[in-house]
Amino acid sequence: MSEQASASPVQIRLDGEVLVVTIHNPPVNALGQAVRAGLLAAVEQLEQNAQARAMLIVGAGKAFIAGADIREFGKPPQPPSLPETINRMEACSKLVVCAIHGPALGGGLEVAMATHYRLALPGARLGLPEVALGLLPGAGGTQRSPRLMGALPAAELMLSGKHLSAKAALAAGLVDRLVEGDDPLAAGLACVRELLASGAPIRRTSALPVPGDQAQTLAALDQLAQDTAKKTRGLFSPAKIIDCVRVAVQTPFAEGSKREREMFVECLNSPQRAGLVHAFFSERETAKIPEAKAAAPRPFTRLSIIGGGTMGAGITVAALDAGLSVVMIERDAESIARGQKNVEKVYDGLIAKGRMTPEAKAATMARYTPSTSYDAIRDVDMVIEAVFEDIEVKKAVFKELDRVCKSGCVLATNTSYLDIDAIAAVTSRPQDVIGLHFFSPANIMRLLEIVVPAKVAPDVVVTAFELAKCMKKVPVRAGVCDGFIGNRILAVYRDAANAVLEDGASPYEIDAAVRAFGYPMGPFQVSDLAGGDIGWATRKRKAATRDPRARYVEIADRIAERGWYGQKTGRGWYLYPEGARVGQQDPEVLAIVDAERAKKGITPRAFTHEEIMRRYMAAMVNEGAKVLEEGIALRPLDIDVTFLFGYGFPRHRGGPMFWADTVGLPKVLADIEEFAREDALFWQPAALLKKLVAEGKTFASLNQRG
Ligand code: 3HC
Ligand code: NAI
């Protein structure tokens, strides 16, 4: 074997009459250039080797093939292309079979669909998730999947990005046979030999017709396109996916693949693809922290949650769902009964929707212990405190924890803003104290800010990241400051929004501008959902320490003083008659806004959506840069992930710091300097931003990976 061949990630060997092709490209057998070249070489060997009558493709390790190599996107293409490789394979004059035992996604499923027979083992997961990266399947996937599954189910699979189990893939027509076990090689070889013995014909998916009545199918696709446009507002690739399926229905394969390639390249070149790929990698990158190199996690199975309110109950559910056991501590009998009810409510909701059985609930609740005595938590491995946001209450709790918890127990606080160093200081073991900032609802929201105080031990930090993994959260490492990464930056862009409100835009215009940018909701809608009383309490708490020179917009206080807290009170910035979830504009709110402007002698001026968003985003990016220069966030991507997973930032824009790079940092800085002419105190450009602009650099240059 030549040196080059031995280094190839595609291993080829003859087993009797079967050429066994094993993709060995860890971690997920992505279809990088060397894999494509190896696959093509395997097909040529099959054609030329008279002894070989068939080829079996399997993946080594956990995956079959997880798709194209995402790292190659945006770089100059390197031959052979994936469509060329796949088409050559399908055209092969000898039998080609694949055995799928793990993920067969994107390009991986496209390879499989072009083989002549497909076998799936129980661990197989099949899907075309390109849409999540701003793409469409670009190696024949939009043309072959309708021929195997039918046009509508294929379009739905591609639009959802969903992974199908082996069983579901069989039912959908994507695979021909299921086999038991976890050895794709043995199962595949047996199947190939059986196919050869029975003289099974070569079947080329590209030669199949798309099943179903053409006119009916096209009408159904039109309807799907309308629904999709509503659901995926602003996204580029979903409509293109449907266009490709329409082409598959109407034209022969060769023409269809040509059109697919053109549309794939359009998607590849779209800024949305760049944003979504950044989001994909960043989401996996935030767990790579300096402490991980130096320490191993402490073991944990038994947790205690202090407080059974909104957050305590949500965190309890997250922990129970992760298979951990939880002792919940509350102040008194009444509060612990309410805490338990808060937990059970979540599971009862699932039972009502048919997503959980009463037996499963009982099994889960068997790991839950309610108590009002700290003695019940003497042997737990980790405590997460979620009591009132009051430093004195929290300090008292931590003194109790210090008294009762075993040595080595991790002591975490879910505080939103408070000084965790000060909380740690009341214990005799600050090395064990850390911040775990969950987001509401804690059993659903994926973000977990892991807040690292000065004295915490590295293995406690690593344990917190391990907890995040076990709860399927996306962890972001943050430093201690008022609000950490997310809430600190939020406070600043909310101030920018309030200034725009007072200067002339209505809350409804601001919300509309923010939605048009891609957020699911605007800031005033979010306030109504979360409860205006929460922000009001925070403002009152901070009033004493507020810089007296800083502009303070009182409009939100005027709304809250009336008891208009939002959805829960039937009105806030919007009206919610009879429990409506979608608010209506409220003329009385507009009158309050007008009165406040008049009080300050402000003549309202008009703002376009673009003008609103320039301020909103400049404030966000500027504070993000300050968070970076202070070391509160490790890298720009940590801020991006915080906003993508905790604050509804549109994923296709990659996150605020990625977005700033796409706009250009000189432009963002120029905006800040322009706004500083109106309010120099608020709009102080971050030193880091100025430095990057002076050096001609981007935030991306600070995102060293892994
Ligand atoms: N290309 C390059 N790297 C990839 C990759 C891909 N397609 N898929 C995963 N990786 C990398 C990850 O970045 C991660 O790297 P790291 O260890 O350095 O951080 C590593 O593989 C392991 O990934 P996960 O942490 O996600 O591992 P899991 O076991 O949790 O999940 C998976 C495995 C389900 C395969 C998941 O990684 C995944 O969903 N991958 C993406 C699949 C995908 O989107 N495929 C379509 C690609 S686009 C395409 O095929 C275009 C074609 O139509 C032309
Ligand atoms: P909550 O008011 O719903 O619940 C607090 C619970 O703590 C109450 O059930 C109360 O009885 C209990 N409690 C108070 N003192 C106690 C003590 N000494 N011992 C045991 N239990 C005690 O409050 P919520 O919203 O759950 O907030 C809790 C913490 O989580 C706060 O620090 C808050 O800042 C933080 N947080 C809140 C978020 C939210 O969206 N609500 C999001 C992220 C963090």
Side-chain angles (χ1 to χ4, degrees), residues 2-234:
S2 76
E3 216 173 81
Q4 200 187 357
S6 68
S8 169
V10 178
Q11 295 159 2
I12 307 168
R13 70 179 173 86
L14 199 58
D15 189 319
E17 295 177 318
V18 185
L19 200 67
V20 176
V21 176
T22 307
I23 317 284
H24 184 78
N25 188 24
V28 294
N29 298 332
L31 291 156
Q33 189 276 339
V35 175
R36 300 193 299 272
L39 269 176
L40 207 53
V43 175
E44 295 315 329
Q45 274 196 37
L46 177 63
E47 293 284 19
Q48 281 155 27
N49 188 330
Q51 207 187 321
R53 289 179 60 208
M55 177 162 115
L56 169 69
I57 305 177
V58 292
K62 283 195 299 193
F64 173 65
I65 301 171
D69 188 337
I70 302 171
R71 285 168 221 274
E72 288 183 357
F73 294 153
K75 297 191 182 144
Q78 289 184 53
S81 74
L82 191 57
E84 176 193 344
T85 308
I86 287 180
N87 288 340
R88 176 69 192 92
M89 189 184 77
E90 189 189 52
C92 184
S93 62
K94 298 181 187 173
L95 202 63
V96 181
V97 180
C98 69
I100 303 169
H101 71 295
L105 303 173
L109 181 53
E110 290 176 300
V111 168
M113 288 191 293
T115 63
H116 305 145
Y117 290 88
R118 289 163 291 282
L119 202 64
L121 283 78
R125 285 156 65 193
L126 290 80
L128 294 166
E130 284 87 343
V131 70
L133 301 171
L135 291 170
L136 48 87
T142 67
Q143 305 301 298
R144 285 192 180 90
S145 60
R147 287 174 160 83
L148 289 173
M149 309 173 71
L152 207 59
E156 282 163 355
L157 180 71
M158 290 184 271
L159 290 171
S160 71
K162 225 166 64 181
H163 301 179
L164 299 180
S165 66
K167 236 174 164 174
L170 179 73
L174 276 176
V175 296
D176 302 300
R177 194 188 289 184
L178 296 191
V179 284
E180 285 309 310
D182 56 5
D183 182 354
L185 182 59
L189 275 174
C191 173
V192 177
R193 294 199 170 114
E194 191 190 313
L195 290 167
L196 287 174
S198 66
I202 287 177
R203 305 176 315 173
R204 297 193 174 92
T205 307
S206 63
L208 297 172
V210 176
D213 176 80
Q214 200 184 89
Q216 271 177 16
T217 305
L218 289 173
L221 288 173
D222 286 345
Q223 184 58 50
L224 183 65
Q226 278 178 28
D227 299 345
T228 303
K230 271 188 231 142
K231 266 197 264 168
T232 61
R233 232 165 21 96

Side-chain angles (χ1 to χ4, degrees), residues 306-313 315 329-332 335 338-339 342 374 385-390 393-394 396-397 413-418 436-440 487 530 534:
I306 316 293
T310 309
M311 294 308 289
I315 299 167
I329 301 285
E330 261 287 358
R331 292 179 291 177
D332 47 44
S335 307
R338 200 176 47 235
N342 288 341
Y374 280 89
E385 165 278 311
V387 303
F388 300 136
E389 184 76 346
D390 177 318
V393 178
K394 295 211 190 264
V397 168
T413 171
N414 180 49
T415 179
S416 308
Y417 293 93
L418 301 175
L436 286 177
H437 185 214
F438 288 84
F439 287 70
S440 181
N487 283 346
I534 295 180

Side-chain angles (χ1 to χ4, degrees), residues 415-456:
T415 179
S416 308
Y417 293 93
L418 301 175
D419 181 353
I420 302 174
D421 286 310
I423 296 172
V426 304
T427 72
S428 63
R429 39 174 128 175
Q431 74 279 3
D432 295 334
V433 178
I434 194 162
L436 286 177
H437 185 214
F438 288 84
F439 287 70
S440 181
N443 54 315
I444 294 181
M445 293 290 285
R446 304 249 350 256
L447 180 64
L448 177 59
E449 269 184 300
I450 295 179
V451 192
V452 179
K455 293 194 177 155
V456 69

